[in-house]
Amino acid sequence: VGNELAQIYGGNNCIISSSTTSIRPSKLIKKMKANSANLIVSHPVNPPMAIPLIEICPHPNTKKNVISKTREIMINIGLKPCVMKKEASGFVLNRLQYGLLQAAYQIVDEGIADAEDVDMTVKHGLGLRWSFMGPFETIHLNAPKGVNDYTERYIANAIDPILAEQGIKRNWNKETWEAIHNEMSKRIPVDSLPDRCKWRDFRLLELATHKKKMEEQA
């Protein structure tokens, strides 16, 4: 298909994009004879009419202008692009989803809670918060001085013991946490955290009100 598209549309400016869920773009280009550097994966999330995320996954030789132009197109049609720095199986969403699914399964398997209560925890807990904040912004707001403060307070005392019970070997390093802290602080400076926390609380209250209305109408 890639060869056919390259022949039909041709030229170095033609972006060839696949919506594959699980195939790495480097595998998709194996039989392409032309314009393989123009191929990129643009993976939507079901149902795409309601979820605006689009995962953009290049292969090692995808042209930089193809990546930037694909991102620009997705923004212009109202989507929210997650641009991957390198290709990885499962892209980003499924890697996150499978990690949570493993923890959810383990909770049921070990008799900690039933499946219904695990779903309840996500629907009325993590899911609400994560609907407008990711895991890193969440912890950035959960300590007075941001991500670094959070890791110093909770990794050894709270996170490590639970991960050990789950049989998970933590492979974290200070340099990556520092990079995450710096990225979060650039977008949300530490001195503005109190205001951002107020924003978070307001959004949660508004979301809870909307969710209650939807449940009453169901």
Side-chain angles (χ1 to χ4, degrees), residues 89-206:
S89 299
F91 309 133
V92 174
L93 186 143
N94 279 332
R95 291 172 83 90
L96 291 169
Q97 180 171 252
Y98 297 160
L100 180 58
L101 184 60
Q102 164 60 25
Y105 169 85
Q106 191 170 2
I107 287 169
V108 175
D109 186 57
E110 293 178 358
I112 296 170
D114 291 332
E116 182 179 356
D117 286 313
V118 173
D119 275 357
M120 184 79 69
T121 301
V122 175
K123 286 191 294 184
H124 299 288
L126 283 176
L128 291 178
R129 188 161 58 186
W130 286 355
S131 66
F132 56 89
M133 293 189 304
F136 294 132
E137 182 172 351
T138 295
I139 68 171
H140 193 55
L141 301 187
N142 275 358
K145 297 180 182 178
V147 171
N148 280 346
D149 189 14
Y150 182 93
T151 59
E152 290 173 6
R153 288 168 181 260
Y154 300 115
I155 286 182
N157 295 325
I159 297 174
D160 277 348
I162 294 172
L163 292 182
E165 280 188 19
Q166 292 177 304
I168 298 172
K169 184 179 179 182
R170 177 174 62 81
N171 187 25
W172 293 347
N173 64 73
K174 188 174 182 180
E175 291 74 19
T176 299
W177 278 119
E178 184 69 29
I180 293 167
H181 175 84
N182 290 338
E183 185 176 341
M184 294 306 306
S185 297
K186 185 176 180 180
R187 186 163 65 86
I188 310 169
V190 170
D191 59 7
S192 71
L193 287 177
D195 288 336
R196 189 65 172 179
C197 286
K198 291 177 183 177
W199 168 88
R200 174 200 63 193
D201 296 347
F202 174 77
R203 290 291 295 270
L204 278 171
L205 287 169
E206 289 290 300

